[in-house]
Structure formats: C-alpha cells, structure tokens
Amino acid sequence: MNILVQKFGGTSMATAESRQYVLHHILEAKDRGQGVVAVVSAMGRKGAPYATDTLLSLGLESCGQLPPREKDMLLSCGETISAAILAGEITSAGYPARALTGGQAGILTDTQYGSADCLFVDTAQLLSLLKDGIIPVVAGFQGATREGDITTLGRGASDYTAALLAAALKAEGVEIYTDVDGIMTADPRVVADARVLPAISYSEVFQLADQGAAVIHPRAVEAAMRGNIPMVIRNTLTDLPGTRIAAETLYGTEETESIITSITLMKGRSQLTCPASEAGKIEELLSRLADRGISIDLINIFPEKVVFTIEASNLASASVLCGELNLVPSVWEACTKVSCVGHRMRGVPGVMARIAMALRKADIPILQTADSHMTISCLVPAEDGPRAVEVLHRAFSLG
Ligand code: ADP
Ligand code: MG
C-alpha cells in the first residue's frame, strides 16, 4: 500500500478553524488513494488549556516535582486529547478514523521517562486499520514500555513519532505540517526577510535542528534518513510545496547559491573559564559534570585557560561542583550560540574569517567558536544573539 504519514503541530491543531486545514490535507491524500496515518501534537502553544507547558505547570503547581513516570503520564495527555478530537472530526466528515495512543500505535520504548528511546515499532495495528480504509490518528510524542507504562520521547518529538512510523511502515513519505512555509534561511521570528528553502539535505537539516532550529526535531531527521524516507516541511494553512528534505546528491544547485544554507541560534548557554594552572581540578570537574549528566557543549583548551559552555539551567549545579573543588571560574551567564550551517562550506577556507569580520563590524563580541565540516558556531552574549543572526544573514546574502 502507498502510505503517507502526515504530522500536524500544535498551532495546526489549536482551533476548530485551523483543524479544517488539517482535515483538508488528510482527506486530499486519502482521496488520492493514499493510506494516510496522521500524527498530532497537543493543541496550541504555551498558555493554551491542553498544551504541554500547561500540563507541566499543573504538575509543578500541585506538588513541585512529579515522579518521572507520572510526569510522562500527565504530559502525554495533550496529544491524546488532540488525537481523539481530530479522529472525531474526520469521522464526522464521513471518513472512518481511529484515535490511537503512541503505545496503541505500536511504539515500544525503553523506560527513560522524559526522553525515551524507541526500541521497536509494531506496525500490526496500523496496517490492519489502513487495510480496512480507516485513518489512524496517532498521539505524537509518546510511546509505551513493555509493561504498558506511558513514556514521552522528548520535547517537540511528535516529529520523531511521525518519522519513526513512516520508516516502520516503509511509507512513501512523511509530511510535517507547521506554521511556517518550510525550512527557512533563518527563523522568521528572528530575521524578517528569511527565505524558504525549496530543498535541503538530511545532514544540513539535522545540524540545524541539533543546533536549535525548532522547526523539526533532530531525531525525526535521523529516523527519516535511516529509513530513507523523503520528508517535506509544509505550512498547514497553505497548499505551497514547502521544503523537500533529500539526500545531498539530489540537490538543485540553483537553490543553494550561498555558501551558508541557514543560520540558527540556541539560547540559554553559560560559559565558564578556568585558569589552566588548575588542570587537575578542571579534569575532576569535567568528570563530575559528566557523572551528573551535564554535557559540555563548546570546549577550548589553551596553555593558560580552559573555556567551556554548558546549558544555563545547569549553571547552579556546576557552581556547586566548582565550590567542592575550590575552583573559581569566571562565568559569562547568559550566552547564545549562533550556528551557520551549509554543506558547501566543506573544505572552503575563509568562511570563519567572514563571520568574524561581520560580527566585529556589528560590535558583537565572539566569546567562543567551534566548527565541523558543515557547521560554524559562535558563542555571543545573549542580548546580541538575534542581531548576530540578522547580521550574518545579511553578510552572506541569504535574504
Ligand atoms: P510545531 O508546533 O508545528 O511543531 P514548532 O514551533 O515546533 O511548530 O516549529 C515551527 C517554528 O520553528 C516556526 O514557527 C519558527 O519560528 C521556528 N523556526 C526556527 N528555525 C526555523 C527555520 N530555519 N525555518 C523555519 N522555521 C524555523
Ligand atoms: Mg515542533
């Protein structure tokens, strides 16, 4: 069977009006003869009654910290509500549909509550529904353990659910419907003249997602790439073609003239600088941070100092560890990491120099840098983050 997985994000599911567009995309594919599996996020964003953040604050208000298993059970409700409502609406439109939780859709996970890993997808139930012409509407973001306990797959992971199901079902494709026209040269909320990219490679979009671009979850890109499933990012409210995510070799060259494809930012970083004379203590600090599951993002080791970056939410724990070791680092609390991604910069000299010059001309200090074959990242003071993206977007003529 020709199967298409379609995922609808929070803003797409938010209102009865926006769900009319959701219905339009599902029924159009169904009428074309495709077996459609819909995957849904919780309705609306922060502040909406059934949004994930609202459920989270409900747990916090009632008893501070919920146990991880109960927290996942609570957070999963948003998607379950969404699935039930949409399945009802599809049925009312005259097409048979069935709402499923992640577990009922066959997503078996480990017991790492909060960011569970999928161990296996049992497609039997989905295939049986599809065979009978029924549209499965799957609650995204969740799975279940062997014991039947509900787990969640990490924030924003409904995209991951969609890609996982598409790969397991050997679908023709997976469509991610959201509130922008596709993957853009930058977040349009940060850069007003950001442009939609007609196509982008799996590896570039993975880098963007991994470096903070919320438009798609990195695990979704990974799952689609592993299953070799073509992925498209589209706007729910339009019929525009969106961005096609394909293997690098399938690229149209005219579409990606600039050496940089897209720029993203990651807020909430903190930078610590320790004098290298304390080398033994620094090594001990790094190993204690690792023991607590605190990962180091950027790190540079110089003869006179060691500089590294962690998530700002881990700064308090890191400070306690420093205190235990009598280590007094200088701290830059509020930083943002700005990352330029582009497969064309591989092996091309001078890109970092152009980035450094553009930021210097805009009086934006670079606190730290890192580069890999297709990504260059610069840490800047948090207040300069959005402007740094704008400046680089202009310097590389991405608009
Ligand atoms: P959904 O609820 O549909 O999953 P998200 O908020 O997770 O939506 O992702 C869509 C948002 O991603 C957009 O509204 C946009 O602000 C943001 N975004 C960040 N980087 C990019 C980018 N490079 N291209 C497009 N959108 C981006
Ligand atoms: Mg999302």
Side-chain angles (χ1 to χ4, degrees):
M1 190 191 305
N2 170 352
I3 299 172
L4 178 67
V5 178
Q6 297 181 321
K7 179 257 165 176
F8 300 94
T11 46
S12 314
M13 294 299 297
T15 62
E17 195 196 353
S18 64
R19 289 196 300 278
Q20 283 305 310
Y21 292 90
V22 170
L23 233 63
H24 159 74
H25 294 293
I26 294 174
L27 302 185
E28 192 181 64
K30 178 79 180 146
D31 289 342
R32 276 200 308 266
Q34 291 187 287
V36 183
V37 175
V39 174
V40 295
S41 293
M43 292 175 187
R45 291 235 168 88
K46 205 169 186 161
Y50 310 115
T52 309
D53 281 311
T54 311
L55 300 173
L56 191 60
S57 58
L58 186 64
L60 284 174
E61 273 163 30
S62 69
C63 53
Q65 194 72 279
L66 278 181
R69 178 184 171 280
E70 282 60 36
K71 188 173 166 188
D72 271 13
M73 197 165 174
L74 171 69
L75 293 191
S76 71
C77 294
E79 276 70 14
T80 307
I81 293 169
S82 244
I85 297 293
L86 183 64
E89 288 171 343
I90 297 172
T91 308
S92 297
Y95 293 73
R98 181 82 46 85
L100 301 173
T101 64
Q104 288 171 334
I107 297 179
L108 180 77
T109 75
D110 61 17
T111 56
Q112 260 185 80
Y113 295 103
S115 63
D117 270 323
C118 177
L119 301 173
F120 180 68
V121 180
D122 178 355
T123 55
Q125 172 71 354
L126 288 176
L127 286 173
S128 142
L129 291 170
L130 288 169
K131 188 164 74 54
D132 292 340
I134 298 168
I135 300 171
V137 183
V138 180
F141 172 60
Q142 49 169 279
T145 65
R146 271 182 220 288
E147 287 69 39
D149 290 325
I150 295 171
T151 51
T152 64
L153 309 170
R155 290 305 296 272
S158 290
D159 300 334
Y160 179 42
T161 301
L164 272 176
L165 295 182
L169 293 163
K170 298 189 173 55
E172 293 239 314
V174 53
E175 296 180 337
I176 307 289
Y177 284 90
T178 183
D179 62 352
V180 283
D181 289 346
I183 309 273
M184 304 177 71
T185 50
D187 185 338
R189 291 180 217 215
V190 176
V191 178
D193 70 340
R195 193 169 46 81
V196 178
L197 297 160
I200 187 168
S201 66
Y202 287 119
S203 34
E204 282 176 304
V205 83
F206 176 82
Q207 286 295 319
L208 282 174
D210 202 41
Q211 296 303 327
V215 64
I216 179 84
H217 197 284
R219 291 172 99 181
V221 181
E222 215 170 34
M225 180 161 64
R226 226 181 296 121
N228 202 18
I229 308 292
M231 190 175 234
V232 180
I233 316 288
R234 300 183 66 185
N235 191 331
T236 308
L237 304 183
T238 72
D239 280 318
L240 294 170
T243 303
R244 187 169 42 91
I245 303 177
E248 253 159 72
T249 47
L250 300 179
Y251 252 97
T253 45
E254 73 289 352
E255 292 163 355
T256 51
E257 281 305 336
S258 175
I259 195 143
I260 287 174
T261 305
S262 182
I263 306 174
T264 186
L265 53 72
M266 193 184 265
K267 294 183 194 164
R269 315 277 99 194
S270 293
Q271 187 195 51
L272 290 86
T273 302
C274 304
S277 55
E278 305 274 25
K281 289 183 183 175
I282 296 171
E283 282 160 23
E284 182 58 26
L285 173 65
L286 295 180
S287 99
R288 290 191 191 181
L289 286 169
D291 290 344
R292 278 164 184 72
I294 298 177
S295 58
I296 306 293
D297 191 355
L298 306 170
I299 183 161
N300 297 98
I301 301 173
F302 303 101
E304 72 288 2
K305 62 183 178 182
V306 174
V307 190
F308 64 92
T309 306
I310 56 174
E311 236 181 79
S313 60
N314 290 321
L315 186 58
S317 314
S319 300
V320 171
L321 293 177
C322 288
E324 285 170 14
L325 291 163
N326 269 328
L327 198 58
V328 189
S330 54
V331 176
W332 198 304
E333 270 188 49
C335 310
T336 289
K337 185 168 58 161
V338 174
S339 300
C340 299
V341 175
H343 76 118
R344 285 160 173 258
M345 71 168 84
R346 221 175 295 194
V348 176
V351 184
M352 178 63 99
R354 284 176 67 187
I355 291 173
M357 199 199 304
L359 293 178
R360 183 177 51 76
K361 279 188 181 159
D363 281 325
I364 298 174
I366 300 177
L367 307 175
Q368 212 173 337
T369 64
D371 63 297
S372 65
H373 58 293
M374 64 167 79
T375 305
I376 293 181
S377 301
C378 294
L379 191 74
V380 301
E383 63 271 21
D384 291 324
R387 198 162 58 87
V389 177
E390 279 178 318
V391 162
L392 295 174
H393 197 265
R394 210 173 317 120
F396 286 88
S397 311
L398 296 186

